[in-house]
Amino acid sequence: MADNYQIQMRNAQKFFLTYDQEKLIQKFGLHADEAYLYLTMFHTRYRIHRKTGSFQRHQTTWQDANTFGEVMTALDILCDSKDNRFLTGRWVSTQHFGKHIHTGLLEPEYDALADTFDKAPGAFGKACRALGGHPITGGDEAWAVEVMDGLEIGIHFWHADEEFPAQLRFYWDENAPMYLKYETMHYTLGYLRSLLKNGI
């Protein structure tokens, strides 16, 4: 039996199929052919099958990419972002958005990924560069990586010291809700963390 995440993902894919795909192509300047829409997310090429909503990512060859974080992030931006969306260039924490804080969006006091970066000099920058990131100010080291459509996530990293463990903090443009829903930020950050871990 499919779990709730799989059901939610499949429902999002079905919802995508109800959209006027030509309007999505124009809205985002997507390349398309008869079978697929093509986009770039986290510095990786994707294609979405126009009749099924199935996802593939390109890593030497096209591979299955029907994971919850990938599908929900891309389809939320494609299908639900505002036509008048724009970025301000001002970073805010996830807690800035809304009154109802999703506990999964709050960074833990101990972060195993941050600890791994702390013990591997240069690994944080290497992982961010692999995602097409560029340095920004903040923390002991900070990078911004693009999700898609110009929307970036700022990642701040602090090394451990005598009082605190190593920390990672994630920041969004204050207009991020014009691009994706508040709840989707949790899924997007989860997928980003997996990409950073794989880049070590």
Side-chain angles (χ1 to χ4, degrees):
M1 179 180 294
D3 62 26
N4 288 336
Y5 287 106
Q6 288 294 314
I7 293 171
Q8 188 176 350
M9 182 185 76
R10 289 171 186 169
N11 286 340
Q13 290 171 312
K14 292 177 183 177
F15 188 56
F16 161 76
L17 297 178
T18 69
Y19 271 72
D20 183 334
Q21 294 181 14
E22 293 304 320
K23 288 185 178 179
L24 294 181
I25 291 168
Q26 294 177 12
K27 180 178 178 179
F28 294 95
L30 301 179
H31 173 64
D33 55 32
E34 290 186 3
Y36 294 97
L37 299 184
Y38 298 84
L39 58 91
T40 299
M41 182 170 65
F42 285 123
H43 201 55
T44 299
R45 287 193 71 209
Y46 284 83
R47 66 183 186 183
I48 309 173
H49 197 277
R50 300 183 68 165
K51 292 185 178 180
T52 66
S54 181
F55 271 59
Q56 292 181 321
R57 78 179 80 83
H58 194 269
Q59 295 172 312
T60 307
T61 61
W62 289 106
Q63 302 175 10
D64 181 82
N66 291 291
T67 71
F68 187 77
E70 290 169 289
V71 170
M72 296 303 292
T73 296
L75 292 187
D76 202 20
I77 294 175
L78 287 176
C79 299
D80 293 327
S81 62
K82 308 297 184 185
D83 289 339
N84 64 341
R85 65 200 180 284
F86 68 96
L87 300 169
T88 68
R90 292 186 290 271
W91 296 109
V92 295
S93 67
T94 309
Q95 293 91 317
H96 172 85
F97 303 109
K99 296 180 180 180
H100 304 290
I101 302 299
H102 192 300
T103 56
L105 293 170
L106 303 177
E107 290 88 353
E109 183 175 346
Y110 171 76
D111 186 328
L113 181 58
D115 188 53
T116 299
F117 284 137
D118 191 48
K119 294 175 180 176
F124 176 60
K126 177 185 176 183
C128 292
R129 283 192 296 274
L131 298 177
H134 60 89
I136 57 175
T137 58
D140 292 328
E141 184 179 356
W143 292 74
V145 298
E146 183 179 2
V147 183
M148 61 178 284
D149 193 39
L151 178 65
E152 294 184 324
I153 296 176
I155 314 166
H156 294 196
F157 171 63
W158 284 268
H159 290 284
D161 58 25
E162 295 80 5
E163 297 183 38
F164 298 101
Q167 298 179 43
L168 284 169
R169 294 289 182 265
F170 298 89
Y171 295 86
W172 302 82
D173 187 274
E174 64 180 351
N175 272 1
M178 298 183 77
Y179 291 75
L180 77 175
K181 293 189 289 291
Y182 179 71
E183 293 81 2
T184 306
M185 293 179 181
H186 171 60
Y187 313 138
T188 304
L189 290 181
Y191 183 57
L192 173 56
R193 289 178 64 88
S194 71
L195 292 173
L196 291 171
K197 183 177 181 179
N198 290 339
I200 295 175

